[in-house]
Amino acid sequence: MKVQIFANDQQVAQQALSMLNEVVENNPTAVIGLATGSTPLQLYKLMIEHKDKYRQVTTVNLDEYVGLGEDDVNSYHYYMHSNLFRHIGIDKDKTHLPQGVGGSLAKLCQDYNRLLSNNRQDVQILGIGSNGHIAFNEPYTPFDSVTHVVDLTPSTIADNSRLFDRIEDVPTQAITMGISNIMASKSIIVIATGKAKAQAVYDMICGQVDERCPASILQRHNNCTVLLDQDAGSLLPAHLDNVKYIA
Ligand code: PGA
């Protein structure tokens, strides 16, 4: 695991963009794993400025809420369309997210898992939850999990309620890539910004590899880079062999 700490979140996004650009310059039809939430928004703005590079990629997203269709403004389908896909002009058939409606949950999970088997990510963009989750793999999710339905924890529902009118509107379940689907990516870029992530970042990098902190498994990936701003990296010890401070 390589860790780079930047002066601010803009520089974090810029570095993530440089890394993604390199992937698509080498392979214009690369499979890129994407994430939702607040953290990647700056990266997506920068990708839009480089949209010609991203027109031919295939994308696979981490997760979707159960019960929200793609036209629902709170769905991750809608988020991806409005924050990235429509600006890039990417063919919709090449953009994939788990479906939160339209069949039995078991079938929706199986379908997405099959799709992932046929579209292994060249690079996966990943955020981290304040409880150490990656995608919606909450603490104690087995490391060998594949796409599955999760009951969201109260802390995740509370974190995500800022995007909804009322906390009661936050779905209580989601379909998520499993941890082994994430680990299958050839490379992983984790981005984390802000003080609220500092403890989870510490546990991911310095803690034991343990299902209590799902992100800790990333220590075992052979090509994982963590990009942090100073707040997110504020609990890391001053001397870590794998940490590069870029202020
Ligand atoms: P955030 O979510 O970017 O909105 O903080 C990250 C996550 O929960 O994985």
Side-chain angles (χ1 to χ4, degrees):
M1 186 180 249
K2 274 187 250 145
V3 183
Q4 297 181 353
I5 304 180
F6 295 86
N8 56 51
D9 54 1
Q10 190 57 38
Q11 288 181 18
V12 170
Q14 192 62 54
Q15 175 64 6
L17 177 79
S18 305
M19 294 174 72
L20 275 188
N21 281 350
E22 198 180 318
V23 171
V24 293
E25 278 156 16
N26 289 328
N27 177 9
T29 59
V31 178
I32 301 187
L34 296 172
T36 51
S38 310
T39 314
L41 283 173
Q42 292 198 52
L43 168 62
Y44 295 158
K45 289 203 178 102
L46 296 175
M47 284 171 74
I48 292 164
E49 290 172 19
H50 293 245
K51 60 185 172 194
D52 291 343
K53 290 194 169 74
Y54 291 96
R55 283 227 174 84
Q56 296 179 65
V57 300
T58 292
T59 68
V60 290
N61 260 77
L62 293 169
D63 42 25
E64 179 57 286
Y65 287 116
V66 167
L68 301 192
E70 55 184 59
D71 294 333
D72 189 307
V73 293
N74 289 312
S75 73
Y76 288 161
H77 279 79
Y78 192 92
Y79 168 110
M80 290 309 304
H81 179 71
S82 56
N83 289 307
L84 186 66
F85 298 152
R86 79 184 170 93
H87 304 283
I88 290 185
I90 185 172
D91 182 352
K92 189 166 188 287
D93 292 346
K94 290 197 181 143
T95 66
H96 306 285
L97 294 91
Q99 296 293 335
V101 292
S104 77
L105 294 181
K107 166 99 172 39
L108 296 175
C109 290
Q110 267 170 20
D111 288 349
Y112 200 63
N113 217 46
R114 191 168 315 115
L115 183 127
L116 292 174
S117 309
N118 296 329
N119 293 279
R120 179 179 172 206
Q121 308 95 307
D122 291 288
V123 58
Q124 175 68 56
I125 298 293
L126 209 53
I128 179 171
S130 59
N131 64 358
H133 74 203
I134 48 175
F136 274 133
N137 294 288
E138 302 283 25
Y140 300 103
T141 305
F143 284 151
D144 62 1
S145 54
V146 295
T147 307
H148 62 286
V149 178
V150 289
D151 294 325
L152 302 179
T153 61
S155 83
T156 297
I157 292 174
D159 282 354
N160 290 6
S161 64
R162 69 190 191 283
L163 304 168
F164 289 76
D165 290 341
R166 302 174 312 157
I167 193 163
E168 299 78 40
D169 296 338
V170 184
T172 55
Q173 288 187 309
I175 293 181
T176 184
M177 266 191 213
I179 293 177
S180 71
N181 302 121
I182 294 170
M183 291 294 280
S185 180
K186 291 177 200 160
S187 63
I188 297 177
I189 301 170
V190 183
I191 47 180
T193 54
K195 273 236 166 0
K197 301 294 173 66
Q199 183 64 50
V201 163
Y202 175 88
D203 294 341
M204 166 175 65
I205 296 170
C206 301
Q208 280 194 339
V209 176
D210 188 298
E211 288 174 357
R212 267 178 306 181
C213 177
S216 64
I217 191 65
L218 299 171
Q219 293 176 29
R220 302 242 168 103
H221 196 280
N222 63 12
N223 189 359
C224 177
T225 304
V226 182
L227 306 177
L228 306 171
D229 69 356
Q230 284 180 344
D231 282 343
S234 58
L235 295 180
L236 294 177
H239 303 292
L240 273 179
D241 287 347
N242 57 350
V243 177
K244 191 164 150 198
Y245 290 84
I246 305 173

